[in-house]
Amino acid sequence: DGGITQSPKYLFRKEGQNVTLSCEQNLNHDAMYWYRQDPGQGLRLIYYSQIVNDFQKGDIAEGYSVSREKKESFPLTVTSAQKNPTAFYLCASSGGLAGTPSTDTQYFGPGTRLTVL
Amino acid sequence: AQSVAQPEDQVNVAEGNPLTVKCTYSVSGNPYLFWYVQYPNRGLQFLLKYITGDNLVKGSYGFEAEFNKSQTSFHLKKPSALVSDSALYFCAVRGNAGNNRKLIWGLGTSLAVNP
């Protein structure tokens, strides 16, 4: 799991609540990513950020929001607009200079399992 | 459109036998290819990657993968499987066009190594 931490490990949300998942990295990586993993569906990209103060929607951004105010941190908020948020959420980062293919390896945190009650 | 296919949902092998987990891809330009492993309730761990150069790439835990451009494949292999290799394996690819670092992921292959 390297130098990426995610918290909490388990999170329970009531209907209508917003919750925020934390992701921190000490790898000095420029890019960070949020994925959602559901059984049999692999990894689906929610949001990604290639540099501080900039981020782009991934394939399933609806009902989620992010911020990238610091290089080390990329928190994900699951809003009440996300109709089916129960899933395993993975944060990743990749580093170095933009456009350098050797730095494209993504390193993952240990994940947060979110359950809606 | 870029895509990755892992044609087998599950692979079963006996301990000590060679294993192969298959991956094929479609991408613009030259591909950058990756293999990751995931143990239950854990994040993904990087195994190996192909960027350029030698078609046979060696990675962690005795795994290797062979890049085959004509067949657009990047199969993961290990000469002798261990029970501890049982896990979920993901193949990923990105093209070298532009500055987009997004990876395209396969759906994963569950490997079961039987003692």
Side-chain angles (χ1 to χ4, degrees):
Chain A
D1 298 332
I4 302 178
T5 57
Q6 291 185 242
S7 62
K9 187 174 177 65
Y10 299 97
L11 185 58
F12 299 91
R13 192 193 92 167
K14 294 181 180 179
E15 295 280 352
Q17 268 187 339
N18 293 354
V19 291
T20 297
L21 284 60
S22 170
C23 178
E24 303 277 334
Q25 55 100 357
N26 62 3
L27 301 170
N28 199 32
H29 284 172
D30 289 315
M32 297 186 75
Y33 312 81
W34 273 106
Y35 293 95
R36 171 179 171 143
Q37 186 176 24
D38 297 279
Q41 296 197 47
L43 273 68
R44 292 186 290 169
L45 183 64
I46 304 172
Y47 269 97
Y48 66 104
S49 167
Q50 298 197 96
I51 198 167
V52 175
N53 293 321
D54 186 47
F55 49 83
Q56 288 81 41
K57 293 181 179 180
D59 301 316
I60 56 164
E62 185 175 353
Y64 300 96
S65 65
V66 294
S67 63
R68 187 85 188 276
E69 298 176 0
K70 299 187 299 181
K71 189 175 186 178
E72 304 80 21
S73 179
F74 191 42
L76 173 74
T77 296
V78 184
T79 75
S80 57
Q82 171 49 240
K83 297 305 179 188
N84 185 22
T86 295
F88 191 49
Y89 290 86
L90 289 162
C91 179
S93 69
S94 63
L97 297 173
T100 306
S102 63
T103 61
D104 281 340
T105 302
Q106 293 186 16
Y107 295 92
F108 285 78
T112 292
R113 187 165 296 280
L114 173 62
T115 302
V116 174
L117 301 175
Chain B
Q2 300 184 127
S3 65
V4 174
Q6 293 183 240
E8 301 156 317
D9 291 336
Q10 181 151 347
V11 170
N12 295 291
V13 298
E15 187 175 28
N17 283 1
L19 70 86
T20 298
V21 183
K22 295 180 180 177
C23 174
T24 59
Y25 66 89
S26 173
V27 70
S28 302
N30 293 320
Y32 303 145
L33 294 151
F34 302 81
W35 275 105
Y36 287 80
V37 60
Q38 185 182 32
Y39 297 99
N41 296 310
R42 301 289 298 275
L44 277 67
Q45 295 179 34
F46 169 71
L47 282 178
L48 51 80
K49 68 182 176 186
Y50 172 83
I51 302 296
T52 186
D54 193 346
N55 290 343
L56 184 64
V57 180
K58 294 189 182 295
S60 306
Y61 312 121
F63 284 94
E64 58 189 28
E66 185 167 13
F67 170 62
N68 188 316
K69 188 172 184 177
S70 63
Q71 297 185 3
T72 61
S73 68
F74 189 56
H75 301 332
L76 182 70
K77 300 181 179 183
K78 187 173 183 180
S80 179
L82 301 172
V83 172
S84 58
D85 293 328
S86 298
L88 189 58
Y89 290 81
F90 288 97
C91 180
V93 67
R94 65 153 276 195
N96 68 349
N99 196 29
N100 192 328
R101 287 171 145 170
K102 288 196 300 180
L103 295 182
I104 308 300
W105 295 85
L107 294 182
T109 297
S110 179
L111 173 66
V113 181
N114 307 306

